[in-house]
Amino acid sequence: MGDPLNDRGNAAEALGLVAAAAGPYLDALPDLPVRDASRAHLLDDLDGPLPESGEGAPAAVAELLRIGTGAATHSSGPRFFHFVVGGATPAAQAADWVTSLLDQAGGLWLASPLAARAESVVLRWLKELLGLPPGYGGVLTPSATFANLTGLACARWWWARRHGVDVTADGLVGLPRMPVFSSGYVHASSRKALQVLGLGRDAVRTPTRDDAGRLDTAALDRLLADEGPAVLIGNAGEVNGGDHDPIDEMADLAARHGAWLHVDGAFGLFAAVSPRTAHLVRGIDRADSLAADGHKWLNVPYESGVAFVRDPAVLGHAFGGWNAPYLPDPDEEFVNYNNLGPESSRRARALPIWATLRAYGREGHRAMVERHHDLALRVGRRVGESPDLELLAPVAVFVVCFRFRPPGVPEGELDGLNRRLGEELVADGRVYAGTTVYRGVVALRPAIVNWRTTEGDVDLLVEVVREIGARLLAARGSAGT
């Protein structure tokens, strides 16, 4: 085929192949195993030497569809409960195709007024959905990890200014270590952000009151009294049990001690959408910065995150002013979002968010949040009613933390049994959930966050866990005789 210019007449045919495959694949998705080990050999078909001349778009896309629809983990389906992974609503998925079709350079107004205006609208809509004040600044990011990086970079700029230093221009040289406090719920993505910012992955101090990691607010109050300006990280949604830090109390402490409050709300921030769960995130409207994912509870395609900052000017101070004469001035009338976050080259990721919010509105997203909460409560009840299962944490949002605990198995053997159960569950493929360690014991922690998931899917989860557990228990008994 050679030069892509020779292939321009085949673009519509290649896209048509994807469109033709989409319907059957999406229709089958609810009934497909999450992972089919018998089709893993298809991954080998991705390999081979680099083609010399190539075979053209239709042939290449057809081969990718053959491999992909067979070998992909069907994480966009209703039974993927491993990690916290949402699907892509019909509107968001179609808009993601539009995003690729239009292929906008989304960082500069001059390059794409469409992308910049869509991002401004989406940020306003998200603030309305979450109950944040309209004056907050914001920027879309690839993930909550990048959103945490954005919020904590703003916190670093604020903190350095308290010491008379412009950290954007001059760096951290000569500054003391920035005090950072959180609960035991602090996520690896916040630690990664601190690592990248030169503040230290393990610099976070975590005053806790129990082995679950709950924040000891009285101890935090005392620590803050002994520090200068400090940064607090509140966690709206803990990954093992779904619990939330007391954000409102942390906001009180931040106000009392002149600290910066950053909220990592990767998935839990969307609890604000429903009156049923909004109490979990009370106080987020008092935070100095917040982070969330779109590809979790909002159910838009990967990659999608958002950062909000109370003082919009701080985003520009932390990320703008590159002294590159070919770039537009960051203080122009129109917003250039690559001056407000860590990315320079950005796709128009606002478009899928715009489409899903336009398609389903506040009511649709509230209904989805409440349905997931209902399904998690259903799993919690099923676990509580099962003689061989044990619920390890109250169900707060959509995470259910439990373990297989059949009568007669010594406590010392339960971790190994549950670890094997998790491995078997993934290998089985009918449903997908993995293990974690919660309060010192190995547990399962399915996250029910996909818009497609129904009661039948979560019932199957419990049934498969008990089925595999019984099989492992029988094998254990046979081995012991």
Side-chain angles (χ1 to χ4, degrees):
M1 173 57 66
D3 193 330
L5 184 64
N6 300 327
D7 206 23
R8 60 183 174 181
N10 295 324
E13 180 185 351
L15 291 169
L17 291 171
V18 180
Y25 177 76
L26 294 174
D27 289 344
L29 195 55
D31 300 315
L32 291 173
V34 180
R35 190 176 73 174
D36 187 349
S38 70
R39 312 200 74 179
H41 66 277
L42 290 172
L43 297 175
D44 294 334
D45 295 343
L46 290 170
D47 210 342
L50 173 68
E52 283 299 323
S53 60
E55 54 191 2
V61 169
E63 180 67 353
L64 182 59
L65 283 167
R66 181 186 70 82
I67 298 169
T69 55
T73 301
H74 302 305
S75 51
S76 55
R79 301 189 196 120
F80 187 94
F81 306 117
H82 207 343
F83 312 112
V84 183
V85 177
T89 63
Q93 188 167 63
D96 200 53
W97 290 18
V98 174
T99 304
S100 294
L101 174 68
L102 300 178
D103 195 23
Q104 301 289 280
L108 297 170
W109 179 279
L110 185 63
S112 177
L114 168 69
R117 182 61 181 274
E119 187 155 350
S120 295
V121 171
V122 158
L123 290 167
R124 175 167 57 83
W125 285 356
L126 287 173
K127 284 183 283 186
E128 292 176 13
L129 184 69
L130 297 168
L132 295 176
Y136 273 60
V139 64
L140 297 180
T141 67
S143 64
T145 299
F146 266 76
N148 281 324
L149 177 69
T150 302
L152 291 170
C154 290
R156 183 184 65 166
W157 183 89
W158 165 88
W159 171 80
R161 291 290 288 181
R162 296 299 179 277
H163 291 274
V165 174
D166 181 354
V167 71
T168 303
D170 301 322
L172 291 166
V173 175
L175 285 165
R177 168 166 279 188
M178 187 176 87
V180 183
F181 299 96
S182 187
S183 71
Y185 295 162
V186 63
H187 191 264
S189 67
S190 292
R191 292 186 181 275
K192 180 185 283 189
L194 293 169
Q195 171 186 329
V196 170
L197 290 167
L199 301 169
R201 181 196 64 196
D202 298 330
V204 187
R205 283 178 275 176
T206 56
T208 58
R209 56 186 173 87
D210 60 25
D211 61 355
R214 294 182 180 92
L215 182 68
D216 186 334
T217 52
L220 178 58
D221 192 8
R222 293 191 296 270
L223 287 167
L224 288 172
D226 295 333
E227 295 286 350
V231 173
L232 311 183
I233 300 176
N235 302 281
E238 183 267 339
V239 294
N240 289 322
D243 195 15
H244 287 55
D245 279 332
I247 303 300
D248 215 22
E249 293 180 52
M250 297 183 77
D252 288 340
L253 292 176
R256 183 182 309 153
H257 296 286
W260 179 286
L261 174 59
H262 172 75
V263 174
D264 175 6
F267 64 80
L269 209 61
F270 288 95
V273 174
S274 168
R276 185 195 297 180
T277 51
H279 66 281
L280 294 170
V281 291
R282 188 178 296 119
I284 60 171
D285 57 335
R286 301 167 62 199
D288 295 286
S289 58
L290 306 100
D293 266 326
H295 51 240
K296 288 185 170 63
W297 217 349
L298 192 61
N299 275 253
V300 301
Y302 273 77
E303 308 157 334
S304 180
V306 61
F308 293 107
V309 178
R310 174 181 292 277
D311 181 355
V314 179
L315 282 164
H317 291 312
F319 293 103
W322 298 342
N323 193 29
Y326 71 94
L327 293 174
D329 190 320
D331 297 322
E332 283 183 356
E333 176 185 357
F334 302 115
V335 179
N336 293 312
Y337 283 100
N338 66 357
N339 285 304
L340 304 182
E343 295 175 282
S344 300
S345 300
R346 313 167 73 244
R347 76 194 305 257
R349 63 173 59 93
L351 301 186
I353 304 175
W354 184 93
T356 206
L357 292 176
R358 179 70 174 257
Y360 312 114
R362 187 191 304 275
E363 289 184 5
H365 286 85
R366 180 189 302 131
M368 180 172 66
V369 164
E370 292 178 352
R371 178 163 51 83
H372 290 149
H373 187 223
D374 285 339
L375 292 172
L377 291 171
R378 182 183 180 91
V379 174
R381 287 193 300 272
R382 292 285 307 273
V383 168
E385 294 163 359
S386 301
D388 50 1
L389 300 178
E390 178 187 18
L391 190 66
L392 297 174
V395 176
V397 281
F398 55 70
V399 178
V400 187
C401 187
F402 68 99
R403 65 174 173 171
F404 183 58
R405 187 175 187 174
V409 177
E411 183 71 28
E413 297 181 22
L414 287 173
D415 280 355
L417 181 59
N418 277 274
R419 193 170 284 111
R420 289 193 299 276
L421 194 156
E423 293 168 355
E424 291 286 331
L425 194 62
V426 168
D428 178 89
R430 282 175 289 172
V431 295
Y432 222 62
T435 56
T436 187
V437 176
Y438 179 72
R439 305 191 81 162
V441 302
V442 175
L444 299 167
R445 41 130 283 173
I448 303 162
V449 68
N450 188 289
W451 68 273
R452 295 175 179 270
T453 304
T454 65
E455 290 182 354
D457 298 309
V458 300
D459 288 348
L460 181 64
L461 168 68
V462 176
E463 291 163 11
V464 172
V465 167
R466 297 189 69 197
E467 173 194 317
I468 293 174
R471 187 171 72 239
L472 291 174
L473 196 61
R476 171 183 174 273
S478 298
T481 58

